[in-house]
Amino acid sequence: MNDLGNRLVDAVLRDFPDHVAGTRPNHSWGVGVRGSFEPSPLAATYCTAELFQGRVDEVLVRFSNGTGSPGVPDFEPDLRGMAVKFCLSGGAVVDLIGINMPVVPFRTVDDFFGFTAAGVPRPVRRRSLLRKVEDLLTLRQPPPEPDRPMSGDPGLFWFGVTHPVAAPGLLALGAAATAPASYARVTYHTVHAFGLTGPDEVRRWVRFHWDPAAGVRPVTDHQVLSDDYLRTELRQRLSSDLTIEFSLRMQIADVGDDPTDPTRPWPWRRPLVDMGRLTLREALDDATTEALSFNPTRLVDGISCSNDEILRARGPAYEASLERRAGCPLHAGREERP
């Protein structure tokens, strides 16, 4: 019985009371694409994993919005996700799951439960996620609800006050909520650190980032946007024989960088290494897209998870989500202490 995974999924679902059963608890709505990955000449010198040894001809990607509620327009303030599945020889896969913020506001499972509880919609006055973040960033105390004292409604403001380590993640959340011009014009981060073992048997702790070849671009005020403009734009781009490209870059930890803490950004001066180029060419149909499952602990030899508590918890959470959606468990994960 996956008790922790089910508790985590239930905590997320409480933030989306109108969630549709049988869909992902969050990042419920997205679009899938197919492409290939070409590792850089340097990649094999840093990691022995198969995806860095030669071209990967089958890569499946799902772009998504962060919400778990149905019918939320693409232009609403929200997170964006990019889940990448490298299909390797012998049926092996590696999943790199990124979002458009480099850190998160919680370091422990208990903090995660507190964060999701702070975002639960209230029965009388529901403020948007973006407004909650704005209240926090401007140190503005949200007004109390008519039938509920302020002390009984902590919200993200009080979560930030009582969890100082959450500050970088909440700042990143506010910045990430801006609507992008395209899923292909966003930088995505894996947030967690992973251990890469090289041919010299040295293990380095790294964080991955997907940088768009077309550059980062938000929507502009004069654009007229449909409710599903992100999904529509991506399909139209690929149907016109245009490709979408991302560079995979890894940031290497140095002294003082904690690979177990997803709340703290690493200094910008840390080395960034180009690990390869992802090229996307074909949109998937909705049924194929929604049949895909991802898990950030699904790895192969040469790449390992850190002892990051949130990363370790995501494994059973994704397993519980998959069991609820498809009724089949997955078993994956390689966890090693830094």
Side-chain angles (χ1 to χ4, degrees):
M1 182 69 176
N2 186 354
D3 180 62
L4 175 60
N6 281 298
R7 289 172 56 213
L8 291 166
V9 171
D10 288 339
V12 171
L13 291 178
R14 281 191 285 271
D15 283 352
F16 307 110
D18 53 353
H19 178 265
V20 176
T23 62
R24 290 169 170 84
N26 59 355
H27 292 275
S28 299
W29 317 107
V31 58
V33 294
R34 174 183 282 112
S36 60
F37 178 76
E38 187 71 41
S40 72
L42 281 176
T45 67
Y46 282 96
C47 186
T48 60
E50 182 182 339
L51 71 155
F52 296 124
Q53 303 307 305
R55 178 183 171 90
V56 181
D57 290 322
E58 178 80 345
V59 180
L60 303 174
V61 179
R62 183 178 185 268
F63 294 99
S64 61
N65 299 335
T67 184
S69 296
V72 177
D74 284 353
F75 52 76
E76 284 293 309
D78 203 352
L79 296 181
R80 317 294 162 179
M82 177 181 176
V84 182
K85 182 182 298 295
F86 298 87
C87 303
L88 308 176
S89 62
V93 297
V94 169
D95 292 343
L96 290 184
I97 300 176
I99 56 176
N100 62 327
M101 50 190 290
V103 291
V104 291
F106 36 79
R107 181 175 183 177
T108 68
V109 171
D110 285 343
D111 285 349
F112 176 80
F113 285 132
F115 178 79
T116 54
V120 172
R122 307 300 171 184
V124 174
R125 182 176 181 273
R126 181 173 179 176
R127 290 157 43 241
S128 69
L129 176 64
L130 182 59
R131 179 55 56 84
K132 293 177 183 180
V133 173
E134 288 175 344
D135 287 344
L136 175 66
L137 298 183
T138 59
L139 300 181
R140 179 175 61 222
Q141 178 171 310
E145 295 175 356
D147 64 345
R148 188 187 300 270
M150 194 65 234
S151 61
D153 178 19
L156 290 182
F157 179 90
W158 293 110
F159 181 85
V161 169
T162 56
H163 298 77
V165 298
L170 290 170
L171 286 167
L173 179 61
T178 301
S182 167
Y183 282 132
R185 306 296 296 269
V186 178
T187 295
Y188 301 90
H189 314 270
T190 58
V191 176
H192 306 287
F194 296 88
L196 266 59
T197 301
D200 54 2
E201 298 186 355
V202 172
R203 184 171 63 181
R204 299 171 177 86
W205 295 105
V206 309
R207 286 175 173 169
F208 290 109
H209 312 275
W210 289 107
D211 290 326
V216 175
R217 183 181 178 184
V219 295
T220 57
D221 292 339
H222 68 272
Q223 287 181 265
V224 178
L225 304 174
S226 65
D227 287 357
D228 62 348
Y229 81 95
L230 287 173
R231 287 160 281 182
T232 299
E233 188 274 342
L234 202 71
R235 292 190 180 101
Q236 290 176 343
R237 181 189 295 250
L238 294 173
S239 66
S240 302
D241 293 329
L242 299 175
T243 59
I244 295 169
E245 295 187 344
F246 285 86
S247 292
L248 179 63
R249 294 191 170 93
M250 70 175 189
Q251 187 180 29
I252 303 175
D254 205 338
V255 176
D257 299 331
D258 186 354
T260 71
D261 187 355
T263 69
R264 293 179 59 189
W266 292 351
W268 62 267
R269 60 183 178 274
R270 297 292 183 258
L272 276 174
V273 178
D274 180 13
M275 296 296 282
R277 177 65 62 102
L278 174 68
T279 302
L280 304 175
R281 299 183 175 88
E282 176 189 1
L284 302 176
D285 61 76
D286 290 341
T288 301
T289 299
E290 295 317 309
L292 293 173
S293 69
F294 298 91
N295 189 312
T297 65
R298 186 185 285 164
L299 304 171
V300 294
D301 290 340
I303 309 178
S304 59
C305 294
S306 70
N307 200 34
D308 177 339
E309 184 175 328
I310 297 298
L311 177 58
R312 290 165 60 92
R314 288 180 73 182
Y318 277 72
E319 182 176 344
S321 173
L322 179 62
E323 288 174 344
R324 295 188 189 195
R325 290 194 296 119
C328 60
L330 61 89
H331 301 283
R334 182 175 288 106
E335 298 159 351
E336 301 180 18
R337 293 180 180 277

